[in-house]
Amino acid sequence: MKARITAIGNEILIGQVLDTNSNWLATELTRLGFDVENIAVIPDVRAAIESALSSAEGACDLICFTGGLGPTSDDITKQTFADYFGEPLVMDSEVLADVTAFLARRGRTALVNLNRSQAMVPKGATVLRNLVGTAPGSWFEKDGTVFVSMPGVPYEMRKMMNDEVIPRIREKFDLSVIYQKTVLTFGIPESDLAARIAKWEAALDDIEIAYLPSPAGVRLRLTLRGTDREALKAKVGERIAELDKQIPGDIYGYDTDTLASVVGQLLLGKKKSMATAESCTGGLIGHQITSHPGASAYYLGSIIAYDNRVKIGLLGVNEADIDAHGAVSRRVVESMAEGVMGCTGADYAVATSGIAGPDGGTLEKPVGTVWIAAASKTRTISKRFQFGERRDVNIARSAASALNMLRKLLLEEDPAGSEGGAQ
Amino acid sequence: MKARITAIGNEILIGQVLDTNSNWLATELTRLGFDVENIAVIPDVRAAIESALSSAEGACDLICFTGGLGPTSDDITKQTFADYFGEPLVMDSEVLADVTAFLARRGRTALVNLNRSQAMVPKGATVLRNLVGTAPGSWFEKDGTVFVSMPGVPYEMRKMMNDEVIPRIREKFDLSVIYQKTVLTFGIPESDLAARIAKWEAALDDIEIAYLPSPAGVRLRLTLRGTDREALKAKVGERIAELDKQIPGDIYGYDTDTLASVVGQLLLGKKKSMATAESCTGGLIGHQITSHPGASAYYLGSIIAYDNRVKIGLLGVNEADIDAHGAVSRRVVESMAEGVMGCTGADYAVATSGIAGPDGGTLEKPVGTVWIAAASKTRTISKRFQFGERRDVNIARSAASALNMLRKLLLEEDPAGSEGGAQ
């Protein structure tokens, strides 16, 4: 089945607004089983909207429009749709009640004419309710094509798509069931990973696989279509179990997990705490950990030791070690991890010290050289990494590598924690 | 002059990749004076590319394509362009040298056939060099339309556009000069700002204004077209000087400045240092400061005191103050700022303590309550903020507000620093 996505809005064409709606819709429609044949952005111009409508009619099964539904004069999508389908705009009492209730929740009780105009809908269309904004959507059918018009505000569009459009799509079209699971790996570059799991990948049969690389590792998205969701889930689960044996320890989670959330789950499971000592990562590890609600249950805090005096004065790093080995060295980063455990009382710690760039590199330690340590009460491990030239990427990869090193330390100390953290 | 933007790539149509190239190109082309009439995403399919080429021919002045230039078999843009314009692919020795040099820098000296195929270009096209990747671009002209093909990797595309395409566009088209300046404000909500500067805005004449809100404040983008760049710059500069008087102290910078970079510039100008003590922001302030190269010249470090024991043990916060007023209080946040100055020896400090949510709120201090302090050697200021319900937004607004409070403190202590920091 063929689908198209069209965003209406001058603000996108001048680059003022990044169109994230089309990407979200593309993911959802693909998951539903549609073949998205194009995405277009067109201006708030009658002829452009008419052309999009007429070229889709009879040529695709579904076209989803976003945008141009505001109450002001530059938004012409609703009127253009009404004219194209030959339907007059009429007042819809249910929509009027929705708009009134929405505005009342925001403390506005007097409806102005602009609000009232939002409750006008094309007579023959199926109205798509909007409970989180004032612009209703609409659903038309003509010559075997479904035309859907939704607001451009991302939050309103997504809710309308989930609550009003997808159920109607499922009813209208004979869609297969789709099961999707994303496997999160860390520590193996994309090309090496592809080589290591080539045999496993070749035996995937009808499971589709997508490689999605990022600074936080390579994500593998597995997609399987069929009729019985539980059967699909079981089959994908079997393959993932096989994959886990091929790259033991390198799968850190699934779907929306992050390295920080997985480390948090492992610590919660053990009822243990952690702290960080950050130099080159400058607070990013702390930020990633504390982005997760409930982090205060296991995260005590950090010393960001950007300056060597802070490394010495607060973390107890030996000045002679800095003089002898440099701040970016095994000795210093291990002392940092142990030092922050000592002064916070944490059970575990990670530390980073590196040259993020663009300056500060030497022949022996070029930009991108980073030492990372992870420590428990009984041992400290550390490793030298050589990343690249970009400061932002070096910082991001250092933070991810540090969290992964701590994850592995937590798993090694108590392998039983693995299941709890990764599921 | 009319322009179109077309992204080629199945990965965008299935939602795997968000197309940020088109947004960037839309901004650049608009700034150059083009009227972008549509943006399209099409699959790596010959008929779709041919249709985009033929519908643009003679219908617009410029069409920019991105994507589909990789060396693998699913990338067919180059061959399709060559066939459409009736030009054979030939080996280009300059491109071959570029590809060889690029791979050598990455330590690969043996060229495989796939690499060699990257050096093949359509015979009649103007070659657009790629010095940061292996895929060259191309520039064709036919029936009054310019067709540009660039790689899909954002970093490569932007560099090619800046270095190779825009100079040729300036030579080819009679473009008006466009001067654009973005004014960065912080601390005034968008609707209040619009009301306060309504009179100023009404007198802008032919200067276009766009309001761009974000957690780091409202940006105002001013655009003026004409013939003489210096005259445009002077006219916009005059208006900005008037604006600065209307909202004194609330303009923190221009264009690519950030609150963290402006604070850094102020500190560099004074040859002073700073430290941070973060509770609810969890490291984000440190991360923002250290994202800027050279931050080590003024940033000593931070204590992330997520746990009260760290506030007491490392920052010297009085336990009785926490018991009496709570950790989210004026007394505690001021002690945190002063404490981190004491233990790092910094000249300035900021501290945050708040309830980011979703849990931890009370009737008296609901989620979104945040205390922020900024301190110098001679005084400490602090303020209570009430943000909203979303954890991520609360953390981002707290970090921005803290940096802005320190910026104002730095300016008040030495108003002469203002110009240096804000320009």
Side-chain angles (χ1 to χ4, degrees):
Chain A
M1 278 169 314
K2 292 180 184 171
R4 298 183 184 183
I5 298 166
T6 300
I8 301 169
N10 296 333
E11 69 282 8
I12 305 172
L13 291 172
I14 63 170
Q16 186 172 319
V17 168
L18 172 66
D19 169 32
T20 56
N21 284 339
S22 297
N23 174 254
W24 187 85
L25 283 169
T27 307
E28 291 302 308
L29 293 175
T30 301
R31 188 150 63 176
L32 284 167
F34 286 92
D35 178 18
V36 178
E37 53 179 19
N38 74 54
I39 295 171
V41 184
I42 60 174
D44 297 287
V45 165
R46 178 173 278 264
I49 300 171
E50 284 170 351
S51 164
L53 287 164
S54 63
S55 72
E57 194 179 314
C60 61
D61 300 286
L62 171 69
I63 179 165
C64 291
F65 290 85
T66 58
L69 294 181
T72 51
S73 60
D74 53 328
D75 285 315
I76 58 167
T77 302
K78 189 160 68 181
Q79 187 66 57
T80 306
F81 269 61
D83 295 344
Y84 182 84
F85 293 103
E87 301 281 359
L89 288 175
V90 294
M91 175 67 71
D92 185 294
S93 57
E94 191 185 48
V95 174
L96 185 63
D98 284 347
V99 172
T100 307
F102 175 80
L103 293 173
R105 282 198 304 278
R106 303 197 143 196
R108 277 143 57 189
T109 48
L111 247 59
V112 298
N113 278 340
L114 279 185
N115 303 137
R116 220 176 288 275
S117 76
Q118 294 286 71
M120 303 288 283
V121 299
K123 199 178 173 195
T126 301
V127 173
L128 306 172
R129 293 176 71 182
N130 182 351
L131 300 180
V132 293
T134 57
S138 54
W139 167 297
F140 297 87
E141 296 183 22
K142 195 176 175 192
D143 284 349
T145 302
V146 170
F147 303 79
V148 172
S149 167
M150 291 180 284
V153 179
Y155 178 63
E156 297 177 28
M157 184 280 291
R158 291 181 191 197
K159 187 158 171 56
M160 187 178 288
M161 186 74 185
N162 284 329
D163 296 354
E164 299 276 316
V165 180
I166 290 178
R168 286 183 173 84
I169 286 177
R170 287 195 187 282
E171 208 166 290
K172 170 84 187 171
F173 298 98
D174 186 23
L175 301 170
S176 57
V177 174
I178 294 198
Y179 180 77
Q180 209 165 49
K181 186 115 182 151
T182 304
V183 180
L184 311 173
T185 75
F186 190 84
I188 315 174
E190 185 180 7
S191 49
D192 294 0
L193 180 64
R196 273 180 63 182
I197 65 176
K199 240 177 133 173
W200 171 84
E201 190 180 334
L204 279 177
D205 296 335
D206 43 358
I207 299 178
E208 291 167 42
I209 184 167
Y211 284 74
L212 310 166
S214 82
V218 179
R219 292 172 295 149
L220 299 173
R221 191 176 59 211
L222 304 178
T223 307
L224 184 59
R225 293 155 203 268
T227 51
D228 177 1
R229 189 185 149 82
E230 286 309 310
L232 301 177
K233 186 178 170 179
K235 189 170 173 189
V236 170
E238 276 169 33
R239 300 301 184 174
I240 290 175
E242 288 163 16
L243 176 66
D244 196 28
K245 283 180 202 150
Q246 309 253 327
I247 49 170
D250 293 321
I251 296 176
Y252 69 84
Y254 300 93
D255 299 326
T256 58
D257 289 338
T258 67
L259 282 161
S261 75
V262 168
V263 164
Q265 290 303 313
L266 287 170
L267 289 166
L268 279 177
K270 291 171 181 276
K271 295 192 171 60
K272 297 290 185 188
S273 63
M274 72 168 288
T276 50
E278 306 192 45
S279 182
C280 65
T281 47
L284 180 58
I285 302 175
H287 172 54
Q288 290 179 342
I289 291 169
T290 58
S291 290
H292 293 279
S296 56
Y298 49 85
Y299 185 60
L300 300 185
S302 179
I303 290 176
I304 304 180
Y306 219 60
D307 193 274
N308 283 346
R309 283 168 289 171
V310 177
K311 292 187 183 79
I312 297 161
L314 288 176
L315 289 171
V317 171
N318 197 327
E319 189 163 2
D321 282 339
I322 296 181
D323 292 341
H325 310 285
V328 180
S329 62
R330 179 191 297 272
R331 285 294 285 275
V332 168
V333 81
E334 290 190 351
S335 297
M336 288 171 66
E338 290 160 7
V340 82
M341 281 177 70
C343 68
T344 61
D347 302 305
Y348 291 88
V350 286
T352 61
S353 185
I355 301 149
D359 302 318
T362 63
L363 258 184
E364 202 188 320
K365 293 177 187 171
V367 166
T369 305
V370 179
W371 270 98
I372 300 176
S376 70
K377 298 262 182 193
T378 54
R379 68 195 185 110
T380 302
I381 54 173
S382 58
K383 192 178 165 189
R384 178 182 168 148
F385 294 82
Q386 188 60 53
F387 301 127
E389 286 169 20
R390 283 181 52 188
R391 183 177 179 87
D392 55 346
V393 177
N394 289 339
I395 293 173
R397 292 182 67 183
S398 298
S401 300
L403 287 167
N404 192 55
M405 200 183 281
L406 178 56
R407 179 182 72 89
K408 291 209 165 186
L409 184 68
L410 285 162
L411 289 176
E412 281 167 20
E413 300 222 325
D414 173 14
S418 165
E419 297 303 306
Q423 294 301 320
Chain B
M1 276 169 317
K2 291 180 183 171
R4 297 183 185 182
I5 299 166
T6 300
I8 301 169
N10 295 334
E11 69 282 8
I12 305 171
L13 291 172
I14 63 169
Q16 184 172 320
V17 168
L18 172 66
D19 169 31
T20 55
N21 284 338
S22 297
N23 175 253
W24 187 85
L25 283 169
T27 307
E28 292 302 309
L29 293 175
T30 301
R31 188 151 64 177
L32 285 167
F34 286 92
D35 179 18
V36 178
E37 55 178 15
N38 74 53
I39 296 171
V41 183
I42 59 174
D44 296 288
V45 166
R46 177 172 277 264
I49 299 171
E50 285 170 351
S51 164
L53 287 163
S54 63
S55 72
E57 194 180 314
C60 62
D61 301 285
L62 171 69
I63 179 164
C64 292
F65 289 84
T66 58
L69 295 182
T72 51
S73 61
D74 52 328
D75 286 316
I76 57 168
T77 302
K78 189 161 68 180
Q79 186 65 57
T80 306
F81 269 61
D83 294 345
Y84 182 84
F85 293 104
E87 302 280 0
L89 289 176
V90 293
M91 175 67 71
D92 184 295
S93 58
E94 190 184 49
V95 173
L96 185 63
D98 284 347
V99 171
T100 308
F102 176 80
L103 293 173
R105 282 199 303 278
R106 302 199 145 197
R108 278 143 58 187
T109 48
L111 247 60
V112 298
N113 278 339
L114 279 184
N115 303 138
R116 219 175 289 274
S117 76
Q118 294 286 72
M120 302 289 284
V121 299
K123 197 178 174 193
T126 302
V127 173
L128 306 172
R129 293 175 71 182
N130 183 351
L131 300 181
V132 293
T134 56
S138 53
W139 168 295
F140 296 87
E141 297 184 20
K142 193 174 175 192
D143 286 349
T145 302
V146 171
F147 302 78
V148 172
S149 168
M150 292 180 284
V153 179
Y155 178 63
E156 297 178 28
M157 184 280 291
R158 292 181 190 197
K159 187 157 172 57
M160 186 177 289
M161 186 73 185
N162 284 328
D163 296 353
E164 299 276 314
V165 181
I166 290 179
R168 287 183 172 84
I169 286 178
R170 287 195 186 284
E171 208 167 288
K172 169 84 188 171
F173 297 100
D174 185 24
L175 300 170
S176 58
V177 175
I178 294 198
Y179 181 77
Q180 207 165 49
K181 187 115 182 148
T182 304
V183 180
L184 312 174
T185 75
F186 189 85
I188 316 174
E190 184 180 8
S191 50
D192 294 0
L193 180 65
R196 273 179 65 181
I197 65 175
K199 242 178 134 171
W200 171 84
E201 189 179 333
L204 280 178
D205 297 337
D206 43 359
I207 299 177
E208 291 167 41
I209 184 167
Y211 285 73
L212 310 167
S214 82
V218 179
R219 292 172 294 150
L220 299 173
R221 190 178 59 210
L222 304 178
T223 306
L224 184 59
R225 292 156 203 269
T227 50
D228 177 1
R229 190 184 148 82
E230 286 308 310
L232 300 177
K233 185 178 173 180
K235 190 168 172 189
V236 170
E238 277 169 32
R239 301 300 184 173
I240 291 175
E242 289 163 17
L243 177 65
D244 197 27
K245 284 180 201 149
Q246 310 252 327
I247 49 170
D250 292 322
I251 296 176
Y252 69 83
Y254 300 93
D255 299 326
T256 57
D257 289 340
T258 68
L259 282 162
S261 74
V262 168
V263 164
Q265 290 303 313
L266 287 170
L267 290 165
L268 279 177
K270 291 169 182 279
K271 296 192 170 58
K272 298 288 185 188
S273 63
M274 74 168 287
T276 50
E278 306 192 44
S279 181
C280 66
T281 47
L284 180 58
I285 302 175
H287 172 56
Q288 290 179 341
I289 292 169
T290 58
S291 290
H292 293 279
S296 56
Y298 49 85
Y299 186 59
L300 300 184
S302 179
I303 290 175
I304 304 180
Y306 220 60
D307 193 274
N308 284 344
R309 281 168 290 170
V310 177
K311 293 186 183 80
I312 297 161
L314 288 176
L315 289 171
V317 172
N318 196 327
E319 188 162 2
D321 283 339
I322 296 181
D323 291 342
H325 309 286
V328 180
S329 64
R330 179 190 296 272
R331 284 295 284 274
V332 168
V333 80
E334 290 190 351
S335 299
M336 287 171 66
E338 291 160 7
V340 81
M341 282 177 67
C343 67
T344 61
D347 301 305
Y348 292 89
V350 285
T352 61
S353 184
I355 301 147
D359 302 318
T362 63
L363 257 183
E364 203 189 318
K365 294 177 188 170
V367 166
T369 304
V370 179
W371 271 98
I372 300 176
S376 70
K377 298 263 182 192
T378 54
R379 70 197 185 108
T380 302
I381 54 174
S382 58
K383 192 176 164 188
R384 178 182 167 148
F385 294 82
Q386 187 60 54
F387 301 126
E389 285 169 19
R390 282 180 53 187
R391 183 177 180 86
D392 56 345
V393 177
N394 289 339
I395 292 173
R397 291 183 67 183
S398 298
S401 300
L403 287 167
N404 192 55
M405 199 183 281
L406 177 57
R407 179 183 73 87
K408 292 209 165 185
L409 183 68
L410 284 162
L411 290 176
E412 281 167 21
E413 299 221 325
D414 173 14
S418 164
E419 298 303 308
Q423 294 301 322

